[in-house]
Amino acid sequence: MQMTLDAQPHLEQSIAAARACFIADCTQSVAILLPVIAQAQDAPQAELNAQLLLAQCYWALDDSVAGHTALDRAETLIKSQKSPRQHAEYEHARAQLLLSSNQYLAALKLWMSCLKKALPLHAYDLYVHACIGIGNIYCAYQQYGDALHWHEMALEFAPHSQQYELLANSYLHVAADLNLLGEYEIALSLSTQGEEIFLSSQHKAWLAEWYSYRGEAHLELAEYTQAKTWLHTAWDLNQKLNYRWCQANNLLALGRVYMATQEPQSAKQYLLMALNLIQSFESNPLRLKAYHLLAQLGEEIADFKMAWEYRRQYQHLALQDAQQIAKDKITSALERRMKELDIQLLFLQTRQENIILRQKSSADSELLSSLRSATLQDPLTGLSNRRHLEQEMPRMYQRCIEEQRPFSVLMVDLDHFKHINDRFGHPIGDIVIQNTAQILLQSCRSGDLIVRYGGEEFVLLLPGAAGNTASEIAERIRQRVETHSWQDSHIDLRVSASIGAAEYHDEPDAQTLIKHADQALYQAKHLGRNRVELYR
């Protein structure tokens, strides 16, 4: 026993050394940890720490088999240690490996459990890890608005973890989400603001990925010279590193930019390099992207055999992935549990100690506020935008069904709005849209969601409102629009609205209910406009 006690500090020092180079050089970390584990057979606590770190190293190196083996041993050790924190660390490490092998639901459940254990411990680092993981699950489901929500949460908590690398990782995921959501200007703004963090990071692969996302944003904005500059800067870094996911993503973006500039040979070279790399590890999203781009390139250069072959492989894998996602569908019970965790995290963010911490980083708070405004709000009216609707409606719809409460939808459309723009000009048209938004806000209840759906159309979600109540609210809106003092903007201005209402009656999903409200709106217009119709 004395030998074990004497050896313990040496083992912990070696684990600390492995942890110090974990981000920068996982291969070196593994080389340090394997002898530690061999020597720690009679020191279970040290062995557990080493196995947990080893599993994360193998995850970073895309060796999921070795990672799971390390965690199998860690799981045995955890049973004797009974440490909530180490159990949460184990769940995070296992979830990472499951996600990398496309086991979405199993990974999600583990990250939720990790977060639940971390909350009473005030373990900010685990909050960040779990929020990033849950956001990545939503990315796999292509629900990018939800992904951004969880990644923003990670970015809020990261400064409190006192771990600089977690802050960099959170920034990285938010930037990726913004690109996926088409918010390229905001992604570039974030990229500029966060660059100092990545320049100071030990993890140069993250700096390369940061530059790659910047290049992708320029690419989508058709700024091809800047896109090439940043993507090649990223590739210069990536070639010196051993992180295949980052390398593959960078190569795919290079392929895309050379397709955009009609340089097919260079595009093909980068895309084939990417595919060859992707085939050495598991990543269905990257493989699908590679197949899709190669098929598209084949069509552009009239190599139809190439196009057919990669299209066939894309369809085969897409079907497999769709089946996996369908099997791993997030249930309503799981959604409720996630909402509960979300509420607990939001409560933590408002605690006095966090308010004080946020005051120390007001620039970050302002950035997060602008991110939320840009991605979930309509800039002209301040109402929710269509993306927020797509994020919130399924939840509100499902909650009302489970609680057996009525649920109604209104679709509001301003009559002859094109004529208003043509006659009075777009500035007057903008005033009409803004004033209509204010009328909607004044006419609805606090729990309702009001959305600018597009152009002169608005959607209102009315949880708890039956069809007759929805019709009364719609009629109140119609009258207020008609009698508003529009002449203050122009003496000849007159505005009216047609409104369609629909109440839930066993529709299979929320989108069908919107379609029914739209059909009622069409009926209102067909019957002369400036009226309310309820879908029957």
Side-chain angles (χ1 to χ4, degrees), residues 246-530:
C246 299
Q247 292 171 335
N249 199 51
N250 191 177
L251 288 167
L252 289 172
L254 281 166
R256 288 178 59 218
V257 76
Y258 280 103
M259 286 175 66
T261 55
Q262 299 182 342
E263 299 174 74
Q265 291 307 313
S266 294
K268 186 175 181 180
Q269 175 190 351
Y270 286 119
L271 292 177
L272 288 174
M273 286 172 63
L275 181 58
N276 183 58
L277 193 59
I278 293 164
Q279 288 171 338
S280 68
F281 65 97
E282 293 183 273
S283 176
N284 282 2
L286 287 184
R287 191 170 300 191
L288 284 168
K289 188 183 290 188
Y291 288 153
H292 172 72
L293 289 171
L294 283 163
Q296 184 180 337
L297 179 61
E299 291 168 2
E300 289 179 4
I301 63 176
D303 186 340
F304 299 113
K305 181 179 178 182
M306 170 185 168
W308 178 84
E309 177 60 29
Y310 285 114
R311 186 68 64 198
R312 181 185 64 81
Q313 293 186 63
Y314 173 86
Q315 291 171 348
H316 177 71
L317 183 59
L319 179 61
Q320 285 184 339
D321 207 41
Q323 290 171 341
Q324 180 69 38
I325 288 174
K327 188 177 79 171
D328 285 354
K329 185 178 180 181
I330 299 174
T331 63
S332 57
L334 204 55
E335 283 275 13
R336 281 200 305 274
R337 287 165 55 196
M338 291 178 69
K339 189 66 177 176
E340 289 168 5
L341 287 170
D342 194 2
I343 290 168
Q344 290 181 60
L345 286 170
L346 289 170
F347 174 75
L348 276 171
Q349 288 174 332
T350 60
R351 287 170 52 141
Q352 186 63 34
E353 63 192 60
N354 286 349
I355 292 172
I356 294 170
L357 284 167
R358 279 201 296 272
Q359 286 172 347
K360 294 179 181 178
S361 56
S362 60
D364 288 343
S365 297
E366 289 171 11
L367 175 62
L368 285 167
S369 177
S370 67
L371 286 174
R372 292 195 186 96
S373 296
T375 56
L376 298 177
Q377 288 184 349
D378 171 58
L380 180 63
T381 62
L383 299 178
S384 294
N385 62 15
R386 193 163 182 164
R387 185 173 297 129
H388 196 200
L389 173 71
E390 291 168 354
Q391 182 176 313
E392 288 298 319
M393 184 169 182
R395 296 173 182 168
M396 296 174 73
Y397 173 86
Q398 190 63 38
R399 197 176 304 124
C400 283
I401 292 172
E402 290 169 354
E403 295 172 359
Q404 297 184 327
R405 299 169 63 215
F407 184 75
S408 295
V409 173
L410 300 182
M411 185 162 276
V412 180
D413 186 84
L414 298 176
D415 297 327
H416 304 296
F417 186 72
K418 184 178 183 303
H419 172 72
I420 291 172
N421 269 336
D422 291 344
R423 182 178 176 188
F424 301 105
H426 288 280
I428 294 294
D430 287 348
I431 290 171
V432 170
I433 294 292
Q434 290 169 328
N435 286 350
T436 301
Q438 289 303 309
I439 290 169
L440 296 176
L441 288 166
Q442 294 161 8
S443 304
C444 291
R445 308 161 303 171
S446 60
D448 298 336
L449 182 67
I450 308 170
V451 179
R452 187 180 179 199
Y453 197 62
E456 69 275 21
E457 279 191 319
F458 302 85
V459 168
L460 286 69
L461 306 187
L462 311 177
N468 59 342
T469 303
S471 295
E472 290 171 4
I473 294 171
E475 179 58 25
R476 181 162 67 241
I477 291 168
R478 187 200 67 76
Q479 291 180 9
R480 288 180 176 178
V481 170
E482 185 179 29
T483 59
H484 183 75
S485 54
W486 300 108
Q487 292 78 14
D488 292 347
S489 300
H490 193 286
I491 193 168
D492 295 325
L493 181 62
R494 303 287 185 276
V495 181
S496 65
S498 300
I499 306 175
E503 179 187 3
Y504 168 72
H505 288 296
D506 298 321
E507 281 84 358
D509 52 44
Q511 202 58 44
T512 302
L513 193 57
I514 283 192
K515 289 179 182 176
H516 288 169
D518 192 40
Q519 290 172 20
L521 172 62
Y522 175 82
Q523 185 70 4
K525 287 187 171 294
H526 180 71
L527 293 173
R529 293 185 168 84
N530 192 24

Side-chain angles (χ1 to χ4, degrees), residues 23-28 57-63 203-205 237-248 277 280-281:
I23 294 296
D25 188 350
C26 286
T27 303
Q28 179 64 20
C57 292
Y58 282 133
W59 164 76
L61 294 169
D62 302 309
D63 190 344
H203 199 344
K204 297 308 174 188
L237 281 171
N238 268 321
Q239 289 182 87
K240 303 169 188 173
L241 303 167
N242 191 31
Y243 292 93
R244 290 176 288 176
W245 192 94
C246 299
Q247 292 171 335
L277 193 59
S280 68
F281 65 97

Side-chain angles (χ1 to χ4, degrees), residues 179 208-220 223-239 246-247 249-258 270:
N179 274 348
E209 202 172 348
W210 190 248
Y211 289 156
S212 187
Y213 289 144
R214 186 182 295 183
E216 288 181 49
H218 282 298
L219 168 59
E220 297 297 342
E223 298 167 354
Y224 301 129
T225 301
Q226 297 98 312
K228 286 182 178 179
T229 297
W230 287 112
L231 291 171
H232 278 292
T233 301
W235 183 236
D236 288 343
L237 281 171
N238 268 321
Q239 289 182 87
C246 299
Q247 292 171 335
N249 199 51
N250 191 177
L251 288 167
L252 289 172
L254 281 166
R256 288 178 59 218
V257 76
Y258 280 103
Y270 286 119

